[in-house]
Amino acid sequence: MAAIRIDGKAMAAEIREQLSREVEELKKKGINPTMALILVGDAEDSALYVRSKAKACEGVGGFAEVHHLGEDTTLEQLLELIDKLNKDDSVHGILVQLPLPHHLHPYEKKVMDAILPEKDIDAFHPMNIGNLVIGDECYWGVTAHACVKILEKLGVELKGKHAVVVGWSIEIGKPVTMMLFEKGCAVTLVHPESDFVPYTKQADIIITEVGKPRAITGEMIKPGAIVIDTGANWVEGKSVGDVDYDSAAEVAGYITPVPGGVGPMRIIMLIYNLVQAAKKKAGIS
Ligand code: GUN
């Protein structure tokens, strides 16, 4: 039996509608959810990402201000801008688009750590990551949260399920492991460079962050499993997932396509964090 294809676009549209209603309510209270996007340098793909984040913010009725700094911006100038935005009460969320230009690479962590945790809508700050591990209130990283939101929207019981995360990063693999644990799953985190197949074969839920096109095939998956693919590998000008969709879809119960699965959910979860930040400001939890 073929798997059900998860429509990330439709799920994102539902969340967008909900967020638009919340923004409308916030505006009635005089709060206009505002996101400051910092783009340093002239990389075209970064500029494109920043534009789509601004558009998504405006799409729910929020306000996005883009601060485009020159390629030769110094660390001090960048930190000065972050400090100004941290202190600006009209700004609820701050995002510095990565990667930074080459001369600022060694300072990326310093830059991300300079954003106030309560304005850190990317959820990269150690305070947000630490609170996720503790199980306290915090922002959840957007790609990891997108995976969990998809599972919730499918309406499957997460408690007691065995989730296997083939991943590694602080943006996806590590946080999604903690999030699924919070939801009551037994979670196994396996590094993509380890022999992950014995684990994926047992999994009720598989989350992939492999970084290799079509690395996970149908025979590595338990029949009926839910497969969430965060991969976006460029192959001959096309975005290809970590999962070999055709063979996996013959075995899985549900599967996200690439593109059209996790991707559309990522940006909306960023806007979700922005709206949470603005609600907090308004004293609404
Ligand atoms: N560059 C690529 N992905 C991201 C992201 O999620 N956040 C930021 N700030 N930069 C990125």
Side-chain angles (χ1 to χ4, degrees):
M1 205 179 75
I4 295 172
R5 185 186 179 92
I6 297 168
D7 187 346
K9 245 182 165 171
M11 286 183 175
E14 276 176 27
I15 299 168
R16 191 174 308 117
E17 263 184 40
Q18 171 65 29
L19 292 175
S20 302
R21 285 193 290 273
E22 291 181 26
V23 170
E24 221 176 287
E25 288 307 308
L26 281 164
K27 282 183 164 171
K28 283 183 197 158
K29 292 181 166 59
I31 305 257
N32 189 6
T34 296
M35 171 196 247
L37 295 151
I38 304 176
L39 171 66
V40 189
D42 304 318
E44 269 181 35
D45 48 350
S46 287
L48 190 71
Y49 285 130
V50 165
R51 272 202 301 278
S52 41
K53 288 169 186 177
K55 207 171 138 203
C57 176
E58 287 155 3
V60 300
F63 181 67
E65 51 180 56
V66 177
H67 299 262
H68 190 177
L69 307 181
E71 189 78 32
D72 57 356
T73 299
T74 64
L75 175 64
E76 289 67 31
Q77 286 168 326
L78 180 53
L79 292 175
E80 210 172 290
L81 174 60
I82 293 171
D83 185 50
K84 191 174 124 222
L85 295 168
N86 276 340
K87 290 176 178 149
D88 184 341
D89 274 349
S90 68
V91 171
H92 303 102
I94 304 171
L95 181 147
V96 178
Q97 184 65 28
L98 298 176
L100 291 170
H102 195 255
H103 67 288
L104 293 174
H105 274 186
Y107 307 109
E108 274 187 358
K109 173 139 172 63
K110 190 172 178 143
V111 168
M112 300 320 262
D113 289 359
I115 298 171
L116 277 180
E118 59 266 35
K119 296 194 179 190
D120 167 41
I121 51 176
D122 258 327
F124 289 165
H125 194 284
M127 189 80 100
N128 280 312
I129 293 165
N131 277 334
L132 170 64
V133 177
I134 291 166
D136 268 356
E137 194 188 311
C138 62
Y139 299 124
W140 282 13
V142 300
T143 308
H145 198 179
C147 298
V148 176
K149 207 56 166 184
I150 286 172
L151 292 169
E152 287 180 343
K153 284 206 157 277
L154 289 179
V156 292
E157 175 65 89
L158 292 177
K159 251 187 209 131
K161 291 280 186 331
H162 183 201
V164 170
V165 178
V166 186
W168 58 276
S169 79
I170 202 63
E171 287 91 29
I172 305 178
K174 292 178 188 175
V176 82
T177 298
M178 291 317 304
M179 290 171 196
L180 290 172
F181 179 80
E182 279 297 310
K183 298 284 176 190
C185 290
V187 198
T188 308
L189 171 61
V190 280
H191 199 283
E193 283 174 22
S194 70
D195 179 12
F196 53 74
V197 179
Y199 300 96
T200 56
K201 274 184 166 171
Q202 300 174 42
D204 302 313
I205 297 164
I206 302 174
I207 313 275
T208 76
E209 184 202 14
V210 180
K212 284 195 190 121
R214 304 185 187 98
I216 295 182
T217 57
E219 71 254 28
M220 303 176 189
I221 298 169
K222 184 168 98 171
I226 304 171
V227 181
I228 312 282
D229 186 349
T230 76
N233 310 288
W234 283 101
V235 179
E236 292 164 3
K238 277 201 327 201
S239 183
V240 172
D242 295 335
V243 177
D244 177 42
Y245 186 89
D246 290 342
S247 67
E250 290 193 4
V251 187
Y254 292 93
I255 184 167
T256 55
V258 177
V262 176
M265 289 287 284
R266 282 185 62 194
I267 289 188
I268 205 67
M269 295 322 290
L270 177 73
I271 307 305
Y272 175 92
N273 282 349
L274 174 71
V275 174
Q276 299 319 301
K279 278 164 77 175
K280 215 164 179 190
K281 183 90 196 164
I284 310 165
S285 55

